[in-house]
Coordinates of all heavy atoms in Angstrom, one line a residue:
L5 N -63.6 -37.4 83.0 CA -62.5 -37.6 82.1 C -61.3 -36.7 82.5 O -61.5 -35.5 82.8 CB -62.9 -37.3 80.6 CG -61.8 -37.3 79.6 CD1 -62.4 -37.9 78.3 CD2 -61.1 -36.0 79.3
T6 N -60.1 -37.3 82.5 CA -58.9 -36.5 82.6 C -57.7 -37.2 82.1 O -57.7 -38.4 82.0 CB -58.7 -36.0 84.1 OG1 -57.9 -34.8 84.1 CG2 -58.1 -37.0 85.0
G7 N -56.7 -36.4 81.7 CA -55.5 -36.9 81.2 C -54.2 -36.4 81.8 O -54.3 -35.3 82.4
I8 N -53.1 -37.1 81.7 CA -51.9 -36.7 82.3 C -50.8 -36.8 81.1 O -50.8 -37.8 80.5 CB -51.4 -37.6 83.4 CG1 -52.5 -37.8 84.5 CG2 -50.1 -37.1 84.1 CD1 -52.7 -36.6 85.4
Q9 N -50.1 -35.8 80.9 CA -49.0 -35.8 79.9 C -47.9 -36.8 80.3 O -47.6 -36.9 81.5 CB -48.4 -34.5 79.8 CG -49.1 -33.5 78.8 CD -48.1 -32.4 78.4 OE1 -47.1 -32.7 77.8 NE2 -48.4 -31.2 78.8
H15 N -45.7 -36.3 89.1 CA -45.2 -35.8 90.4 C -46.4 -35.6 91.4 O -47.6 -35.8 91.0 CB -44.4 -34.6 90.2 CG -45.1 -33.5 89.4 ND1 -46.1 -32.7 90.0 CD2 -44.9 -33.0 88.1 CE1 -46.6 -31.8 89.1 NE2 -45.9 -32.0 88.0
G17 N -47.8 -33.0 92.4 CA -48.8 -32.1 92.0 C -49.8 -32.8 91.1 O -51.1 -32.6 91.2
N18 N -49.3 -33.6 90.1 CA -50.2 -34.4 89.3 C -51.1 -35.3 90.1 O -52.3 -35.4 89.8 CB -49.5 -35.2 88.3 CG -48.5 -34.5 87.4 OD1 -47.4 -34.9 87.1 ND2 -48.9 -33.3 86.9
G21 N -53.5 -33.1 92.4 CA -54.3 -32.2 91.7 C -55.3 -32.9 90.7 O -56.4 -32.4 90.5
A22 N -54.9 -34.1 90.2 CA -55.8 -34.7 89.2 C -56.0 -36.2 89.4 O -57.1 -36.7 89.4 CB -55.2 -34.5 87.8
F40 N -56.7 -41.1 80.8 CA -55.8 -41.5 79.7 C -54.4 -40.8 79.8 O -54.2 -39.9 80.6 CB -56.4 -41.1 78.3 CG -56.6 -39.7 78.1 CD1 -55.7 -38.9 77.4 CD2 -57.7 -39.0 78.6 CE1 -55.8 -37.6 77.2 CE2 -57.9 -37.7 78.4 CZ -56.9 -36.9 77.8
A42 N -51.8 -38.6 78.0 CA -51.8 -37.6 76.9 C -50.4 -37.7 76.2 O -49.6 -36.7 76.4 CB -52.2 -36.3 77.4
H45 N -49.7 -34.9 73.5 CA -49.4 -33.6 74.1 C -47.9 -33.6 74.4 O -47.2 -32.6 74.3 CB -50.2 -33.4 75.4 CG -51.5 -32.7 75.1 ND1 -52.7 -33.5 75.1 CD2 -51.9 -31.5 74.8 CE1 -53.7 -32.7 74.8 NE2 -53.2 -31.4 74.6
Q82 N -53.8 -41.7 74.6 CA -54.4 -40.8 73.6 C -54.0 -41.2 72.2 O -54.9 -41.1 71.3 CB -53.8 -39.4 73.9 CG -54.3 -38.2 73.1 CD -53.5 -37.0 73.5 OE1 -52.2 -37.1 73.8 NE2 -54.1 -35.9 73.6
Y127 N -52.0 -26.7 71.3 CA -52.2 -27.8 72.3 C -53.6 -27.7 73.0 O -54.2 -28.7 73.2 CB -51.0 -27.7 73.2 CG -51.0 -28.0 74.6 CD1 -49.9 -28.7 75.1 CD2 -51.9 -27.6 75.5 CE1 -49.8 -29.0 76.4 CE2 -51.9 -27.9 76.8 CZ -50.8 -28.6 77.3 OH -50.7 -28.9 78.6
M131 N -56.4 -30.7 73.5 CA -57.0 -31.0 74.8 C -58.6 -30.9 74.8 O -59.3 -31.8 75.3 CB -56.5 -30.1 75.9 CG -57.0 -30.3 77.2 SD -55.9 -29.6 78.5 CE -57.0 -29.5 79.9
D134 N -59.8 -34.0 73.2 CA -59.7 -35.2 74.2 C -61.0 -35.2 75.0 O -61.5 -36.3 75.3 CB -58.6 -34.9 75.2 CG -57.2 -35.1 74.6 OD1 -57.1 -35.9 73.7 OD2 -56.3 -34.5 75.2
I135 N -61.5 -34.1 75.3 CA -62.7 -34.0 76.2 C -64.0 -34.2 75.5 O -64.8 -35.0 75.8 CB -62.6 -32.6 77.0 CG1 -61.4 -32.5 77.8 CG2 -63.9 -32.4 77.8 CD1 -61.1 -31.1 78.4
V143 N -64.4 -32.7 84.3 CA -63.0 -32.8 84.1 C -62.2 -32.4 85.3 O -62.0 -31.2 85.6 CB -62.6 -32.0 82.8 CG1 -61.1 -32.3 82.5 CG2 -63.5 -32.3 81.7
P144 N -61.7 -33.4 86.1 CA -60.9 -33.0 87.3 C -59.5 -32.6 86.9 O -58.8 -33.4 86.3 CB -60.9 -34.3 88.2 CG -61.4 -35.4 87.3 CD -62.0 -34.8 86.0
V145 N -59.2 -31.3 87.2 CA -57.9 -30.8 86.8 C -57.4 -29.8 87.9 O -58.1 -29.3 88.7 CB -57.9 -30.0 85.5 CG1 -57.9 -30.9 84.3 CG2 -59.0 -29.0 85.5
G146 N -56.0 -29.6 87.9 CA -55.5 -28.5 88.7 C -55.8 -27.2 88.1 O -56.2 -27.1 87.0
K147 N -55.5 -26.1 88.9 CA -55.9 -24.8 88.5 C -55.2 -24.4 87.1 O -55.8 -23.7 86.3 CB -55.5 -23.8 89.6 CG -56.0 -22.4 89.4 CD -55.7 -21.5 90.5 CE -56.0 -20.1 90.2 NZ -55.2 -19.2 91.1
D148 N -54.0 -24.8 86.9 CA -53.3 -24.4 85.7 C -54.0 -24.9 84.4 O -53.7 -24.3 83.3 CB -51.8 -25.0 85.7 CG -51.8 -26.5 85.7 OD1 -52.7 -27.1 86.4 OD2 -50.9 -27.1 85.2
Q149 N -54.9 -25.9 84.5 CA -55.6 -26.4 83.3 C -57.0 -25.8 83.1 O -57.7 -26.1 82.2 CB -55.6 -27.9 83.3 CG -54.3 -28.6 83.3 CD -53.5 -28.3 82.0 OE1 -54.1 -28.3 80.9 NE2 -52.2 -28.1 82.1
H152 N -57.9 -24.0 80.0 CA -58.1 -24.9 78.8 C -59.6 -25.5 78.8 O -60.1 -25.7 77.7 CB -57.1 -26.0 78.8 CG -55.7 -25.5 78.6 ND1 -54.6 -26.2 79.1 CD2 -55.2 -24.4 78.0 CE1 -53.5 -25.6 78.7 NE2 -53.9 -24.5 78.1
V183 N -56.0 -28.5 96.8 CA -54.9 -28.9 95.9 C -54.9 -28.3 94.5 O -54.3 -28.9 93.6 CB -54.9 -30.5 95.8 CG1 -54.5 -31.1 97.1 CG2 -56.3 -31.0 95.3
Q184 N -55.5 -27.1 94.4 CA -55.6 -26.6 93.1 C -54.2 -26.2 92.5 O -54.0 -26.3 91.3 CB -56.6 -25.4 93.0 CG -56.4 -24.3 94.0 CD -57.4 -23.2 93.7 OE1 -58.0 -23.1 92.7 NE2 -57.7 -22.4 94.7
V185 N -53.3 -25.7 93.5 CA -51.9 -25.5 93.0 C -51.0 -26.1 94.1 O -50.8 -25.5 95.2 CB -51.6 -24.0 92.9 CG1 -50.2 -23.9 92.3 CG2 -52.6 -23.3 92.0
V186 N -50.5 -27.3 93.9 CA -49.5 -27.9 94.9 C -48.2 -27.2 94.6 O -47.7 -27.1 93.5 CB -49.4 -29.4 94.6 CG1 -48.3 -30.0 95.5 CG2 -50.7 -30.1 94.8
K199 N -45.6 -23.1 91.5 CA -46.3 -24.3 91.3 C -45.4 -25.5 91.1 O -44.3 -25.3 90.4 CB -47.2 -24.1 90.0 CG -47.8 -25.3 89.4 CD -48.5 -24.9 88.1 CE -47.6 -25.5 86.9 NZ -48.4 -25.6 85.7
M200 N -45.7 -26.6 91.6 CA -44.8 -27.8 91.3 C -45.0 -28.2 89.9 O -46.1 -28.3 89.4 CB -45.3 -29.0 92.2 CG -44.3 -30.2 92.1 SD -44.7 -31.5 93.2 CE -44.2 -30.9 94.8
Ligands
TYM401 P1 -50.3 -32.1 83.0 O1 -49.8 -33.4 82.5 O2 -49.3 -30.9 83.0 O3 -50.8 -32.2 84.5 C1 -51.7 -33.3 84.7 C2 -52.7 -32.8 85.8 O4 -52.0 -32.5 87.0 C3 -52.4 -31.2 87.4 N1 -51.3 -30.5 88.0 C4 -51.3 -29.9 89.2 N2 -52.3 -29.8 90.1 C5 -52.0 -29.1 91.3 N3 -50.8 -28.6 91.5 C6 -49.8 -28.7 90.7 N4 -48.6 -28.2 91.0 C7 -50.0 -29.4 89.4 N5 -49.2 -29.7 88.4 C8 -50.0 -30.3 87.5 C9 -52.8 -30.5 86.1 O5 -53.7 -29.3 86.4 C10 -53.5 -31.6 85.4 O6 -54.8 -31.7 85.8 N6 -52.9 -30.7 79.1 C11 -52.9 -31.4 80.3 C12 -53.2 -32.9 80.0 C13 -54.4 -33.2 79.3 C14 -55.8 -33.2 79.8 C15 -56.6 -33.5 78.7 C16 -56.3 -32.9 81.0 C17 -54.5 -33.5 77.9 N7 -55.8 -33.6 77.6 C18 -58.0 -33.5 78.8 C19 -57.7 -33.0 81.2 C20 -58.5 -33.3 80.1 C21 -51.6 -31.3 81.0 O7 -50.6 -30.9 80.3 O8 -51.6 -31.6 82.3

Side-chain angles (χ1 to χ4, degrees):
L5 176 144
T6 203
I8 310 285
Q9 274 200 63
H15 56 70
N18 301 138
F40 65 97
H45 275 100
Q82 182 186 37
Y127 149 140
M131 177 159 165
D134 286 331
I135 298 168
V143 187
V145 281
K147 191 176 169 200
D148 61 326
Q149 297 294 323
H152 294 154
V183 286
Q184 55 177 338
V185 185
V186 174
K199 168 187 106 161
M200 186 175 287

